[in-house]
Amino acid sequence: MSPNAHITSHRKPRRTATQSWVVRTGVAGGVLSTLAVAGAGSATAAEKPVEATVEMPAVNAALATSIAQSAAATQQTAFDYQDRAQQDEATSKVEAAAKKAADEAERKAEAERKAAAAKEKREKEEARASRATERQSLSSKSAAQDSEDADAPASSSAKSSGTATGSTASLVSFLRAQVGKAYVMGSTGPSSYDCSGLVMAAYSQIGIDLPRISQDQSTAGTQVSTSNLQVGDILYWGSAGSAYHVAVYIGGGKFIGAQNPSTGIVERDMSYSPPTGAVRVL
């Protein structure tokens, strides 16, 4: 027996050729498996950009549609604003034309009113001038008569102050025909009168238009003293411009007027109710 026979050998046993081939085959298979897995992963990673590339046209189409819709809405809004501006402009033009027409009509109306007022004033002045001429003619006749009757001055004086001639005679005749009729507030005839209604109606008989109310009648002519009255003078009670009663002087110290509802239209002496003033329109 060898002296080394009991010593266990530590040398690794040799592998057989078959084992070596299996190992090599397994390693190769693992490498190939690893490559296959890596290849599969690479293939998966490579597929992702392709998917993103496929989705881009849909996103671009949606964005384009949104932009188109927004542009269309903006254009419609612009059209709406333009249409509204045109409507506002047309309305402004119509309103301006209407205002111009109204102003023109007002100017024409004002011109017509002024022309009518001027005409009325001219007619009144002409009527007053005509009455002044008539009074002057009557005064001349009266003066000639006084000269002829110089030997009887008292009689002449009575005639000039108490006898009506021409239009004054018609005035007095009308007034006397109304005596006894009723006094009715606001009435202007022919069956009843109030005080100013009677005076206005009497003067209208001789072509003279007077204001309707006593306040205006008390300033319708020339103010005269009650001590220097002539036939046809308007007598008033109260202040000029605010008289509360009127009547007509008929000569001989008498007047005719629509006195009140109790007495009606009467002829009275001046002493019955002395007036506070008088105006002369003849």
Side-chain angles (χ1 to χ4, degrees):
M1 174 181 281
S2 174
N4 295 326
H6 69 280
I7 300 172
T8 306
S9 178
H10 294 284
R11 187 177 294 177
K12 292 181 180 180
R14 291 174 178 264
R15 294 178 180 176
T16 64
T18 302
Q19 290 175 337
S20 298
W21 180 84
V22 171
V23 170
R24 284 194 296 270
T25 302
V27 171
V31 171
L32 291 174
S33 298
T34 301
L35 291 174
V37 171
S42 298
T44 303
E47 289 175 358
K48 289 184 179 179
V50 174
E51 292 176 359
T53 302
V54 171
E55 293 175 356
M56 284 300 294
V59 173
N60 291 339
L63 180 60
T65 301
S66 177
I67 292 172
Q69 290 175 349
S70 178
T74 301
Q75 186 176 13
Q76 184 61 45
T77 301
F79 286 158
D80 291 343
Y81 280 135
Q82 184 178 5
D83 185 58
R84 180 61 181 272
Q86 291 175 350
Q87 290 179 2
D88 291 344
E89 183 180 2
T91 301
S92 298
K93 288 181 179 180
V94 171
E95 291 177 349
K99 185 177 185 301
K100 183 177 180 181
D103 292 343
E104 183 65 22
E106 179 62 24
R107 283 194 294 270
K108 288 182 179 180
E110 181 64 20
E112 291 176 357
R113 287 194 294 268
K114 289 181 178 180
K119 180 181 179 181
E120 183 179 0
K121 182 178 180 181
R122 184 170 61 254
E123 291 176 349
K124 286 183 178 180
E125 290 176 350
E126 291 175 354
R128 185 167 294 181
S130 176
R131 292 195 297 270
T133 301
E134 184 180 354
R135 287 199 299 269
Q136 185 175 3
S137 177
L138 291 173
S139 297
S140 298
K141 290 180 181 179
S142 178
Q145 185 66 37
D146 290 344
S147 177
E148 293 176 0
D149 298 336
D151 57 337
S155 175
S156 176
S157 177
K159 182 180 292 186
S160 63
S161 62
T163 303
T165 59
S167 59
T168 55
S170 298
L171 178 70
V172 173
S173 176
F174 173 82
L175 288 167
R176 283 189 168 141
Q178 311 311 308
V179 172
K181 291 184 178 180
Y183 176 102
V184 176
M185 179 67 72
S187 181
T188 57
S191 59
S192 61
Y193 302 86
D194 61 12
C195 63
S196 56
L198 176 64
V199 173
M200 183 181 71
Y203 275 90
S204 69
Q205 300 300 312
I206 57 175
I208 298 175
D209 294 328
L210 290 179
R212 171 64 183 87
I213 60 176
S214 57
Q215 290 90 337
D216 295 336
Q217 289 178 1
S218 64
T219 58
T222 303
Q223 297 288 327
V224 295
S225 171
T226 55
S227 62
N228 187 32
L229 296 173
Q230 293 182 3
V231 176
D233 288 345
I234 298 175
L235 308 176
Y236 63 84
W237 285 256
S239 301
S242 58
Y244 58 86
H245 184 65
V246 287
V248 179
Y249 182 68
I250 62 171
K254 295 183 177 183
F255 67 84
I256 292 177
Q259 200 66 18
N260 54 57
S262 299
T263 60
I265 299 174
V266 295
E267 179 178 336
R268 292 282 190 266
D269 288 332
M270 294 279 287
S271 59
Y272 171 78
S273 179
T276 54
V279 289
R280 183 166 295 157
V281 293
L282 290 175

